[in-house]
Amino acid sequence: MKTAAHDKKNFCFPSLLEKNDGKEGGRRPRDFLECYRRFRLLGDEAFSPPDPAERIALLSDFPMEPLAACLAVLARERMLEAAVYPGGHANLGGEILAPESPLHEFRPTVAIFTAGNAFLSVGPGADPDPDALAGCLLDVIDFFRERFPACRIVMTDLPPDSSQISPSPLNGVIRKWHGERRDIKLLDLPRMISEFGAKQAFDRRLESISGIPFSHDFLAHLAGECLESVLEVAGPRRKAVILDADNTLWDGIAGEETFDPGKSPLKETFMGIQNRARTWAERGILLALASRNNFEDTRVALAAGASGPLRLDDFAAVKVGWEEKPVMIAELAAELGLGLESFVFIDDDPRQRDLVRNALPRVLVPSLPADPRDRPAFLGALLCFPEKTTEEDLRRNERYRFRTRAEELKKKSKTLEEFLLDLRTEARVGPVVPEEIERAVQLFQRANQFNLTTIRYTREDLEKTFHDPRSLLLRLSLRDRFGELGLTGLALLRFSPEDGGAVVEALVLSCRVIGRGAEDYLLGEISRLCLDRGYSRLRGIFRPTSRNAPAARLYPRLGFALVSETESEIVYELELREPLAKPATIHDG
Amino acid sequence: MPNPRRYTMDNQAVLRRIFRELLHVSEKDFGDNLSPSSVPAWDSISHLALYHALEQEFGVTFSIGEILSMDSVSAIKCFLRNKGVEFPEAPE
């Protein structure tokens, strides 16, 4: 059977994020300068590859070259060979109207309209009526549709404006107009700006110099969002949706102390999302689940009456565990026997979305709105599914469920390690400083899954350790090629100078970093530190709970011997001759 | 305003790298008298990337007037020097 995880074409790790010239860390994928450097390297073929799959026209009233440069680079990273036409002229209407314009010669298959406010700026005495103003733009787009009937359209609504014209009434007109043109993909620009950070999204200097109303990095971000929309409207029709669970299908994280989706003020919103998923399934779209959590907690959250109408049985395939999402998705694809270009991945976490876009460029990864209340409408407007469903489609979910049970594969492969190496995770371990105490308390209070003893330390408890020479509170900070993960691990050591031993009284990891080997790195550092201080015996404690199974095997796996075992506590010990080996997947930061 | 990197020994090398990456200027062709008229890739769009790269790499912020007046490598160095970024005085 074809395993998508090993299909080089499908599963690749683009080199976009390679470290550059000794600058610290890798750049984020949508960093403008990184895109522009790559654009320059592409040379003449940047906008005109020899055999493009799509021809994308960028149409606006401000210069489109910088946005087009980013789009051209990012499209290649997503394995889309696209010719790009950087329009962007004050005379936008003229460009579309005139049959001899280069736009007509370009023959676009996808057009992206992203007008600034210049197009709508009015002189003294002009009509400030929102309908008339927005109509200027909308008439142009309607005319474009007539001229290029086969061309699919993506458009943004209008950015906020520093002039006297308030953008909101115009966007209201645009939304109303769009209601009758649902085949156009409308990108919610105000939401994008607010999620990016309004202050960072604009650059008045750039606007003064070039007329481009946005900052450099927002342009790169906008290019990424436009590209995802191009893949949505023009890419392969998607046959399956992979859904994250926590904070995507319900409010909160299944298994956490405070988890109670039935009492969430957002209950109706998440019910709407689950209903949307059921609608997809009824149309013959396969559903699959990929969640980083304990299986049992997720199963309970999908039980009748727990979180909404979805049940575990609604999913044709399920991955719940601690592998990274791209690994889960590649395994789901292999299990379902579908190519990765058949999938949409829905996750509330922007980091997971970027991970998947980079590792599995053929998967469509829409940018789910940060505010859950915006999500049901967003998901309802996705334009990536086949228009017509057949009887066969409708039976597909049922067939796949049967097949999945029959095959129930468990393929451990090099994939996970390759993936982890590619993340280029760097770690730093050091004593917790007073400024980090809030975060430390929060982690001790909240962590369930990778929590060796589940002792809920208070701020006072932790502050005491600062003044106790026999105690040492260590923190683990991680970063990877996507940026800082921050303080994601803690260990509390107690030293006994009398007998030369040290005890790891507590060790916790944030669930975000489980599965990377961070615990091995932390214990490696602890063992080195103990030896440096003259302690040659290290004890570890594990107190089982209903949630912390992922941490159960830590000490025996690293060679610790069993000292004692009761129902509530298992104690392990290791004679330290040399520091414990650190995992190959994490480097010193 | 971010702190400029005043005492980096490699400022000249960083400037060379920016010109190499964004404007395709080779190490041997790099010099103080380079200008938009002598560098084909130095067009108005590249200029937008150039000033952004200079700001990011050297931790400075330029005024609109400075951005519009950056018409040679020596002008760029002059603006950077005014912001505390050091370059060797002697011509290359």
Side-chain angles (χ1 to χ4, degrees):
Chain A
M1 183 175 152
K2 183 184 168 195
T3 57
H6 291 98
D7 181 344
K8 280 280 177 198
K9 269 186 145 178
N10 278 332
F11 193 74
C12 75
F13 300 104
S15 53
L16 179 65
L17 300 166
E18 281 168 7
K19 279 191 174 182
N20 46 74
D21 305 293
K23 264 181 75 77
E24 64 282 357
R27 286 192 179 277
R28 285 183 54 78
R30 295 179 188 179
D31 177 304
F32 175 83
L33 280 177
E34 187 58 30
C35 286
Y36 205 78
R37 283 192 191 104
R38 300 258 164 186
F39 170 71
R40 281 294 180 194
L41 284 174
L42 288 170
D44 291 342
E45 285 195 359
F47 286 152
S48 322
D51 186 20
E54 300 290 346
R55 293 186 300 279
I56 305 170
L58 289 166
L59 300 168
S60 179
D61 54 350
F62 60 85
M64 283 278 102
E65 280 85 355
L67 186 70
C70 297
L71 185 76
V73 168
L74 294 174
R76 277 170 177 75
E77 298 300 329
R78 298 297 293 279
M79 307 182 94
L80 173 66
E81 285 286 316
V84 181
Y85 172 87
H89 308 282
N91 186 16
L92 176 59
E95 194 174 12
I96 292 165
L97 283 165
E100 68 277 11
S101 78
L103 174 65
H104 285 250
E105 198 180 319
F106 180 71
R107 292 179 293 114
T109 57
V110 186
I112 300 173
F113 285 88
T114 178
N117 287 297
F119 186 70
L120 303 166
S121 63
V122 287
D127 186 356
D129 172 42
D131 283 294
L133 283 173
C136 298
L137 172 67
L138 302 177
D139 286 350
V140 165
I141 298 176
D142 274 335
F143 187 80
F144 180 91
R145 275 155 66 89
E146 277 177 34
R147 268 291 152 89
F148 300 94
C151 182
R152 283 136 302 177
I153 297 177
V154 175
M155 68 180 287
T156 67
D157 42 22
L158 294 167
D161 181 18
S162 56
S163 76
Q164 305 90 332
I165 306 164
S166 163
S168 51
L170 301 197
N171 284 342
V173 177
I174 291 173
R175 297 292 161 99
K176 194 172 158 203
W177 171 89
H178 178 249
E180 292 161 19
R181 294 160 181 82
R182 304 299 293 205
D183 58 321
I184 292 179
K185 179 70 188 177
L186 179 63
L187 281 173
D188 187 339
L189 191 62
R191 174 172 69 73
M192 233 187 284
I193 289 168
S194 129
E195 289 179 10
F196 189 84
K199 213 173 162 191
Q200 292 79 31
F202 297 105
D203 184 339
R204 294 293 172 215
R205 293 175 308 157
L206 191 55
E207 185 169 23
S208 301
I209 295 163
S210 67
I212 298 171
F214 304 118
S215 67
H216 291 84
D217 283 341
F218 185 74
L219 282 174
H221 179 76
L222 180 59
E225 297 299 304
C226 287
L227 173 64
E228 209 65 48
S229 295
V230 169
L231 295 170
E232 182 184 325
V233 299
R237 301 296 81 194
R238 312 286 166 161
K239 297 173 189 158
V241 180
I242 297 178
L243 289 150
D244 165 54
D246 297 319
N247 287 317
T248 297
L249 291 179
W250 46 70
D251 191 13
I253 297 171
E256 282 206 337
E257 301 296 328
T258 54
F259 180 65
D260 191 353
K263 291 194 180 147
S264 160
L266 293 169
K267 182 182 167 189
E268 295 302 319
T269 295
F270 284 94
M271 293 267 274
I273 293 167
Q274 291 203 14
N275 278 323
R276 171 57 55 191
R278 292 207 77 159
T279 309
W280 287 329
E282 284 159 14
R283 284 178 56 190
I285 306 296
L286 286 176
L287 300 184
L289 188 71
S291 173
R292 281 169 57 81
N293 204 332
N294 289 333
F295 179 81
E296 188 53 22
D297 291 325
T298 305
R299 189 190 64 76
V300 169
L302 283 166
S307 66
L310 277 180
R311 300 286 170 271
L312 200 58
D313 257 7
D314 289 320
F315 295 94
V318 173
K319 289 280 167 202
V320 183
W322 297 102
E323 288 174 328
E324 296 287 352
K325 288 284 169 70
V327 176
M328 288 187 185
I329 292 171
E331 288 183 358
L332 285 167
E335 199 169 306
L336 293 168
L338 290 171
L340 286 161
E341 71 285 352
S342 301
F343 288 92
V344 190
F345 173 57
I346 307 289
D347 196 316
D348 67 295
D349 183 350
R351 187 180 184 82
Q352 294 294 338
R353 297 200 296 261
D354 274 344
L355 276 175
V356 172
R357 286 180 185 130
N358 278 274
L360 307 171
R362 291 175 191 273
V363 175
L364 179 70
V365 188
S367 299
L368 203 60
D371 185 339
R373 288 167 299 188
D374 293 334
R375 293 177 191 166
F378 175 89
L379 294 171
L382 284 178
L383 295 171
C384 56
F385 300 114
E387 274 175 29
K388 288 177 186 161
T389 48
T390 61
E391 283 289 307
E392 171 65 15
D393 290 329
L394 296 175
R395 279 199 301 272
R396 190 184 286 137
N397 248 325
E398 203 50 49
R399 273 196 311 120
Y400 272 99
R401 263 207 302 276
F402 178 77
R403 188 172 150 186
T404 304
R405 284 194 194 114
E407 293 183 3
E408 198 45 56
L409 321 157
K410 186 64 188 173
K411 287 180 301 302
K412 284 282 174 194
S413 63
K414 281 200 305 183
T415 310
L416 177 60
E417 194 178 354
E418 280 170 8
F419 176 81
L420 292 176
L421 281 170
D422 193 64
L423 280 177
R424 289 197 290 277
T425 309
E426 293 176 4
R428 295 179 303 284
V429 172
V432 170
V433 295
E435 297 77 54
E436 295 169 324
I437 199 95
E438 285 297 334
R439 169 67 184 141
V441 172
Q442 188 192 45
L443 193 53
F444 273 127
Q445 291 290 332
R446 292 183 64 173
N448 280 322
Q449 283 90 358
F450 209 100
N451 193 336
L452 273 291
T453 48
T454 319
I455 302 171
R456 305 298 189 190
Y457 297 98
T458 63
R459 186 188 181 94
E460 291 70 40
D461 295 333
L462 298 186
E463 279 172 345
K464 273 184 203 161
T465 67
F466 291 157
H467 313 292
D468 177 6
R470 288 169 169 252
S471 301
L472 181 61
L473 181 59
L474 290 174
R475 59 116 180 88
L476 169 81
S477 301
L478 295 181
R479 62 175 296 158
D480 62 23
R481 62 194 245 183
F482 292 99
E484 288 292 341
L485 285 146
L487 195 162
T488 42
L490 291 165
L492 180 55
L493 302 186
R494 307 282 192 190
F495 298 102
S496 301
E498 299 79 16
D499 63 1
V503 182
V504 185
E505 183 180 287
L507 191 152
V508 298
L509 289 183
S510 158
C511 61
R512 285 189 299 155
V513 300
I514 297 175
R516 292 187 179 206
E519 61 277 27
D520 293 21
Y521 185 93
L522 183 53
L523 272 173
E525 280 294 298
I526 289 170
S527 62
R528 189 186 56 73
L529 193 142
C530 286
L531 286 168
D532 287 351
R533 292 187 174 200
Y535 293 89
S536 58
R537 226 163 15 82
L538 183 61
R539 283 197 169 195
I541 304 168
F542 177 68
R543 291 184 185 160
T545 69
S546 59
R547 307 269 158 68
N548 67 355
R553 297 286 304 156
L554 174 65
Y555 291 121
R557 187 170 55 74
L558 293 176
F560 283 64
L562 181 69
V563 174
S564 65
E565 180 170 3
T566 65
E567 209 168 272
S568 60
E569 184 173 288
I570 308 172
V571 179
Y572 300 94
E573 188 173 282
L574 184 69
E575 287 292 332
L576 292 173
R577 293 182 187 85
E578 57 186 21
L580 287 164
K582 290 181 191 168
T585 49
I586 299 186
H587 307 289
D588 297 333
Chain B
M1 191 170 118
N3 287 328
R5 297 181 194 173
R6 288 163 199 274
Y7 304 113
T8 309
M9 297 301 289
D10 297 335
N11 289 337
Q12 182 82 355
V14 171
L15 199 54
R16 271 205 198 98
R17 176 167 57 74
I18 292 172
F19 270 75
R20 188 184 70 234
E21 289 177 341
L22 299 185
L23 301 174
H24 288 180
V25 174
S26 67
E27 300 273 321
K28 70 175 173 56
D29 291 337
F30 185 81
D32 280 2
N33 53 357
L34 287 182
S35 69
S37 59
S38 60
V39 179
W42 194 345
D43 57 19
S44 59
I45 300 298
S46 297
H47 196 74
L48 303 178
L50 176 64
Y51 90 77
H52 184 54
L54 293 167
E55 290 188 334
Q56 297 284 303
E57 296 284 358
F58 292 109
V60 299
T61 305
F62 297 113
S63 67
I64 291 174
E66 286 170 326
I67 294 166
L68 294 174
S69 311
M70 273 178 199
D71 53 5
S72 66
V73 170
S74 56
I76 288 171
K77 283 185 177 176
C78 176
F79 292 133
L80 286 170
R81 277 198 192 100
N82 290 344
K83 296 176 191 304
V85 181
E86 293 183 346
F87 288 96
E89 285 296 336
E92 291 198 291

